[in-house]
Every structure is written in structure tokens, then in C-alpha cells.
Amino acid sequence: STTKSKRKRNGKRKETMTVVTKNGSMSDFTHPKNNAQLRLAVAGGVFIMMFMWLYSEIKGMEAVLAASTIGRGSDSFVPSRRAASVVEAGEYGPRPGYSLAYHESYGYFNDVSDTTWEMSKDWAQGFKQHAHNKEKFAFYRGPRAWYNYHYDAYFSCPEAKRVGGVGDGPKWTCDIHRIKGIGERRWEQAQKASGKKEPYDANKYGCLVYSIGSNGDYTFEEAVLKHMGGPSCEIHIFDPTGEYARPENAEKNMHFHHWGLMGSKQNKTKDMYDIFEIMKKLGHEDRVIDIFKIDCEGCEWESSKDFVPMQNLRQILLETHGLLETVEETVAFYDRFAANNLVIFSKEANIESNGCLEYSFLRLHPDFLNR
């Protein structure tokens, strides 16, 4: 309870507030000692609030810098930090409470909260990729049985889409709407770094797509262009089995190459190149490949030893064909992806085939799968 009284100090009357506690003691808040304590408490509280705000700002900037420099072939731009109350699809830079996903996805997710991301990490790190922890379980029964018990999706993209619709050509892709915004940020940051204004050039800053194996079906590639709202992506299609070039594709920034993909340690044959040779021939050695789609009727088994470890391949959309000769070889193939921080966000059986699987992978920072 409180009581009000008037006391005379230095010849003047002054209003005071006296607090009566439960034990009957009284505390006069007009006393100089109590006033000093009050002022000290208020100042301390203000200091703590300012320190917490400054700490969140510093950690946010550290996340931006780390996301732009980690890994060979990482994007060369440093996105600006925009602490807005609502982050739209095209805006990049984490706000407080959202920097963890931004950092561990190399700037791909800017609107996934730290709490949600931690839940995804816990799930991914605890996910078992083999039924009953037996790697050989059902291998002798063939691909359909084996794939039913091994290597399933354990990561969820907020806006994963089967780009291209239905059928064999389309692929599950992780949040394709984000890629155009990332390309625009590359352009903005390049201008800031050079101090020069230049028109947007998709061949320098836009998304880069490699499509290995097409059989003349451009369903996926056409859908990518549609989602991007125009030729903001540079798309390269590779297939040595036929002449599938189309004159009208040049206007769409789609380029066909009568080349096939092989492993760098395989014997060279006509029109076959490894991924390093292809990127060098096209001048893409320093570019990020935003989408790497591959359906090459078996070339994935050997060529994956080259392209899976490449840090500048961000999404890998892959069809595998059957199994390798031994379970050890097959397990080594799939374990290679997780070992290089590529998480499975989609697994889909090609039901027209005998054991062909469509897998989609997204590259994340090593901290996502390793505490």
C-alpha cells in the first residue's frame, strides 16, 4: 500500500510517496538515496536494451558477409541488409531472427525464421537414410524394393514446385521465384563495386541453368523461362544423341550443344566432355550454376564424382537409373551428396521405368548437417 504525506525540507514543503511493504517497513522515494538507485536502475535498463539491439545488428551483418564469401564459386556479391518488417520475395538481407537460414543457405532463404530453421536442422540431422540401419536391406530384390527403404527426402523448401507440370520432363525445383532476385542482386552489387552503371545482362548476372540430356523435350527449360518472366536466365542444353537445336531458342537465351557429359577420369570419346571442360568452353568457370538438371541415362554414376563437390552448383535435379553393381558402390554414390552438403528435398519414382528415381538436391552450408 502507499500513503501520501507532505514533509518540510530546507524550508519547503514537498510531496512524497511512501511505500509500505508487506512486513510493515516504509520506503520514501523522495529520499536522495532512493532517487539515485532509481536513476541507476533506469540507466542500466536502457544500456542493456541498446546493447542487445547493437548485438543483433552486428550478428546480422556477419551473416550477410559469411553468406557471400563461403565456398569456392560462391556468389561474388554482398547483399545489402534490409531490416524491413516484411521481406518480399525479391529483397535480400536478413532481419533479426531470420539470419540463420540466410547464412546457411548462402543467401537463398531470407524469410525463414531461426526457430523454423532450427527445427529443420534437428529433423535433417536425426533422419535415418536406411531402414533398420541395414545398408543391404532389399538390395537383392532389385531397384524398386531397395529405393523404397533407402534415401528419402528430409528437407522441405517453402515453395517447391514441379516446374513444367506433369510428365517425364518436368522437375521438382526449390523456390524458383527466389533465383531471379538473386541475379538482380548480383547485378546491383557489381555496379556498386565498379562504380559504373551498366544495363542488366542475364549472361553475366542472371541465373545460369545447365540441362544435361533433353531428347528434344524443352518442357522444363520453357517453364523456367516462364517462371522468370522472360529471358533473365541463360540456359544451356546438352545432348549428343540428336540434333535438337531450335532457331527460335536463341531469342530466349536458350542454347543447345551437341555434347554429352562424362567423368573426368573416363576415356575421352567424340562429343563427350567432363563438367570442367564444359564450363571452360562456355566461359562459366567463375559463374554460379543455379540449376543443374541431369537426365543422361546412366552418365550420372561416374560424372557425379566431379559435379557433386562443386560448390558453385546450387541445385541438382537428377534422375538415377537403377542401381550400381554392388550395394557398396550405390551407397557411396548417394552418401556423396550429403558429404558435400546437398540435402534431398524431393524424391519421386518414375513409375514408367524399372527403378528410375527423380531426386532434387539443394546445397546448404556445412553447419546445417553438422553441429
Side-chain angles (χ1 to χ4, degrees):
S1 63
T2 61
T3 60
K4 289 186 177 180
S5 64
K6 293 184 178 181
R7 295 184 181 181
K8 196 170 184 178
R9 289 181 181 171
N10 299 325
K12 296 181 180 180
R13 297 178 65 82
K14 188 174 183 179
E15 289 285 343
T16 67
M17 179 71 73
T18 303
V19 177
V20 182
T21 62
K22 290 183 179 180
N23 61 10
S25 63
M26 302 179 67
S27 178
D28 184 359
F29 278 88
T30 62
H31 194 281
K33 181 179 179 181
N34 288 336
N35 282 340
Q37 291 174 345
L38 181 61
R39 288 194 296 270
L40 182 63
V42 172
V46 172
F47 175 79
I48 291 173
M49 292 175 63
M50 292 181 65
F51 176 80
M52 293 176 65
W53 174 82
L54 181 61
Y55 178 80
S56 68
E57 292 289 305
I58 292 173
K59 296 301 289 184
M61 290 304 298
E62 287 178 349
V64 175
L65 294 174
S68 64
T69 58
I70 291 173
R72 184 176 73 84
S74 296
D75 296 346
S76 58
F77 69 98
V78 179
S80 59
R81 184 177 188 275
R82 305 184 180 187
S85 58
V86 177
V87 181
E88 297 179 354
E91 294 190 36
Y92 277 78
R95 53 194 168 116
Y98 290 77
S99 62
L100 187 60
Y102 186 84
H103 166 63
E104 295 186 359
S105 67
Y106 298 106
Y108 202 63
F109 299 113
N110 68 331
D111 53 2
V112 177
S113 71
D114 292 349
T115 301
T116 300
W117 193 256
E118 284 287 4
M119 292 170 59
S120 296
K121 290 179 68 169
D122 290 341
W123 179 264
Q125 292 175 11
F127 192 82
K128 302 298 183 183
Q129 288 290 9
H130 305 288
H132 314 301
N133 295 321
K134 295 179 181 178
E135 295 180 355
K136 294 185 179 181
F137 186 77
F139 191 80
Y140 67 94
R141 293 166 54 190
R144 289 186 178 181
W146 193 81
Y147 280 115
N148 195 40
Y149 293 97
H150 302 277
Y151 297 106
D152 217 323
Y154 56 93
F155 181 81
S156 296
C157 296
E159 293 293 336
K161 290 182 173 63
R162 199 172 193 273
V163 176
V166 298
D168 188 36
K171 305 294 179 185
W172 281 100
T173 309
C174 182
D175 294 24
I176 192 171
H177 65 282
R178 302 179 188 274
I179 297 177
K180 184 178 180 180
I182 290 176
E184 292 171 351
R185 295 305 172 272
R186 292 173 186 155
W187 173 52
E188 290 176 1
Q189 293 302 322
Q191 291 187 103
K192 290 179 181 178
S194 65
K196 300 178 181 179
K197 290 187 177 181
E198 57 179 317
Y200 179 79
D201 185 352
N203 293 342
K204 292 176 65 177
Y205 309 113
C207 68
L208 181 59
V209 177
Y210 275 21
S211 179
I212 312 293
S214 68
N215 197 30
D217 182 359
Y218 290 159
T219 303
F220 174 76
E221 294 78 14
E222 294 279 3
V224 169
L225 291 179
K226 181 179 179 181
H227 280 284
M228 294 298 171
S232 59
C233 276
E234 180 183 354
I235 301 177
H236 291 267
I237 302 120
F238 308 87
D239 198 319
T241 63
E243 187 52 58
Y244 303 120
R246 297 179 182 176
E248 66 272 19
N249 284 350
E251 298 179 1
K252 303 176 183 178
N253 211 4
M254 294 170 58
H255 312 278
F256 176 80
H257 308 277
H258 194 268
W259 305 340
L261 181 66
M262 62 181 294
S264 59
K265 295 183 179 180
Q266 291 181 292
N267 294 327
K268 301 296 182 182
T269 57
K270 184 181 178 181
D271 295 330
M272 300 296 291
Y273 301 94
D274 62 50
I275 185 63
F276 309 111
E277 293 173 321
I278 289 174
M279 294 184 73
K280 184 176 182 179
K281 287 170 71 70
L282 297 177
H284 295 158
E285 294 171 288
D286 296 325
R287 293 280 300 276
V288 170
I289 299 177
D290 297 284
I291 299 176
F292 186 78
K293 190 215 85 173
I294 174 169
D295 181 0
C296 58
E297 308 305 320
C299 85
E300 69 274 6
W301 301 116
E302 188 65 27
S303 62
S304 66
K305 297 175 183 177
D306 297 326
F307 67 73
V308 168
M310 297 178 68
Q311 294 298 307
N312 51 341
L313 271 63
R314 294 303 168 81
Q315 288 192 53
I316 297 178
L317 317 180
L318 166 74
E319 183 174 51
T320 59
H321 301 81
L323 300 167
L324 288 167
E325 291 185 9
T326 67
V327 65
E328 289 78 14
E329 290 176 303
T330 305
V331 167
F333 170 83
Y334 285 102
D335 284 350
R336 186 177 297 125
F337 289 88
N340 286 277
N341 309 299
L342 286 156
V343 297
I344 304 172
F345 66 86
S346 176
K347 175 186 178 182
E348 181 180 75
N350 184 337
I351 59 176
E352 285 188 320
S353 67
N354 181 24
C356 291
L357 271 291
E358 300 277 0
Y359 278 101
S360 297
F361 300 87
L362 177 69
R363 193 179 304 277
L364 299 177
H365 187 273
D367 287 349
F368 183 80
L369 290 177
N370 304 286
R371 290 293 183 183

